[in-house]
Amino acid sequence: MANLLEIKNLNLFFRGEDENYQALYDINLCFEKGKIHSIVGESGCGKTMTAMSVMGLLPKTAFIKSGEIIFKGENLLDYKEKQMRELRGNKIALIPQDPMTSLNPLYTIGNQLIESIKAHSKVSDRQAMRKAREVMDLVKIPEAEKKFNFYPHEFSGGMKQRIIIAMALACNAELIIADEPTTALDVTIQKQIMDLILNIKQEFDTTVLLISHDLALVSNYTDTVTVMYAGHIVEQANADEFFKNPKHPYSIALLNSLPSNNPAQKLKTIAGAPPSIQEEISGCKFHPRCEFCEIGCCDIKNPVLEQKAPNHCSACLRF
């Protein structure tokens, strides 16, 4: 199938007082149309910066030094800000981590949906209102007619997240970037939100980029998994293959840290913490925390991402 989005050799830096610090290293990703592609890893590994590069919503101190972001055959890095504003919400939509801060508390939910629709399509007020109510029904807001005039504070966290998803649907987004979409929601609501995203993917052939640190959640919903560590991609595979046969020590450590059904089994943790972008580490970035590290090899040579099995790539010197 055709790729809706391709990220090629993306290198991103942050400006410091005395020097620039690299945060993303030669990121290469392909997003197939109608699939859910998950990027996983600990906080600070580069997941959100990768997604924000696609959206063109980087912090002021960040800049892309090289690479391409190809969406439907066009390099988004060549777009002017006006072109990116037209693309955001229209073709590419963001479901943020915190829906609490994504809705204006001074306007009703209905008004905000209508405003979002009119910002991206030439429709009358009546048409926008009808579309807004339709998408509220699509995301299963109970009593949508009544709640159209509610304010954000009258909605629960899960309902606010549904409204954010409704905004993406209202504008017919072809790519939805879901950045930790179930953060701060209880387990039952998490499942409802993820089931909703899955249904949208299936019904509208929407491509989804799911950013998460929750591997248990990812295992139930994703088609392809990319693991990032310290700004590098360390493993890529289809979901079934990844969860059955991980091929990078960091991936194995992440999976081993998941709670077990056996209450007698001790929860495993990964020693240490991910490095900051200012920290210089020779060789493999993960080697200081890796239980399989071989001194004289892993601390000197920098591994590259290479195919280890069909449709399965890993960056490890000791595989």
Side-chain angles (χ1 to χ4, degrees), residues 23-40:
L24 296 178
Y25 297 78
D26 289 317
I27 301 300
N28 286 281
L29 292 166
C30 292
F31 300 90
E32 216 175 281
K33 185 171 176 56
K35 300 289 186 180
I36 297 180
H37 189 130
S38 294
I39 302 180
V40 301

Side-chain angles (χ1 to χ4, degrees), residues 217-273:
L217 180 145
V218 164
S219 67
N220 292 318
Y221 294 97
T222 196
D223 297 297
T224 307
V225 178
T226 293
V227 183
M228 292 188 69
Y229 185 79
H232 293 262
I233 292 175
V234 296
E235 186 161 2
Q236 283 182 330
N238 69 62
D240 289 341
E241 169 69 12
F242 173 78
F243 286 101
K244 286 177 185 174
N245 191 22
K247 296 186 183 299
H248 192 279
Y250 181 56
S251 303
I252 294 168
L254 286 175
L255 290 168
N256 286 341
S257 67
L258 292 175
S260 168
N261 291 327
N262 181 4
Q265 185 172 324
K266 187 177 179 181
L267 186 66
K268 293 183 179 180
T269 59
I270 308 175

Side-chain angles (χ1 to χ4, degrees), residues 19 21-22 25 42 44 229-232 271-290 293 295 297-303 317:
E19 60 180 302
Y21 300 100
Q22 191 162 2
Y25 297 78
E42 294 167 283
Y229 185 79
H232 293 262
S276 70
I277 60 172
Q278 293 98 337
E279 189 175 345
E280 292 187 13
I281 298 175
S282 62
C284 173
K285 296 279 188 180
F286 185 61
H287 90 261
R289 305 174 70 194
C290 181
C293 171
I295 299 301
C297 173
C298 301
D299 60 330
I300 296 173
K301 298 178 183 177
N302 194 21
L317 297 167

Side-chain angles (χ1 to χ4, degrees), residues 99-225:
M100 319 294 179
T101 58
S102 301
L103 295 168
N104 192 322
L106 301 178
Y107 293 91
T108 65
I109 292 296
N111 281 339
Q112 293 185 63
L113 277 167
I114 289 170
E115 183 183 2
S116 177
I117 293 164
K118 293 189 71 177
H120 298 288
S121 39
K122 295 177 181 179
V123 294
S124 66
D125 288 345
R126 180 171 295 191
Q127 289 172 317
M129 183 178 291
R130 185 169 61 248
K131 181 71 172 178
R133 286 178 172 154
E134 285 175 3
V135 293
M136 284 182 74
D137 287 331
L138 272 174
V139 297
K140 296 179 171 58
I141 301 289
E143 301 180 78
E145 190 77 23
K146 176 183 175 183
K147 292 181 178 176
F148 190 80
N149 296 313
F150 277 25
Y151 286 86
H153 73 270
E154 297 177 275
F155 278 69
S156 67
M159 285 295 133
K160 286 176 184 165
Q161 197 64 291
R162 287 173 187 267
I163 293 298
I164 299 295
I165 296 170
M167 288 180 175
L169 285 177
C171 299
N172 303 314
E174 296 179 55
L175 171 66
I176 293 177
I177 297 175
D179 187 1
E180 303 277 9
T182 58
T183 296
L185 302 177
D186 65 49
V187 175
T188 304
I189 305 302
Q190 284 183 13
K191 185 178 185 308
Q192 291 175 6
I193 294 299
M194 289 308 304
D195 284 346
L196 178 58
I197 292 173
L198 182 62
N199 290 339
I200 289 166
K201 181 208 85 161
Q202 293 170 340
E203 185 171 349
F204 299 101
D205 202 29
T206 307
T207 304
V208 179
L209 166 53
L210 174 64
I211 297 170
S212 182
H213 61 267
D214 188 341
L215 282 171
L217 180 145
V218 164
S219 67
N220 292 318
Y221 294 97
T222 196
D223 297 297
T224 307
V225 178

Side-chain angles (χ1 to χ4, degrees), residues 4-6 68-79 83 87:
L4 180 72
L5 174 72
E6 292 182 47
E68 295 178 298
I69 300 174
I70 309 297
F71 180 73
K72 299 181 70 173
E74 296 187 5
N75 187 2
L76 299 186
L77 298 184
D78 293 334
Y79 273 31
Q83 292 173 290
L87 194 71

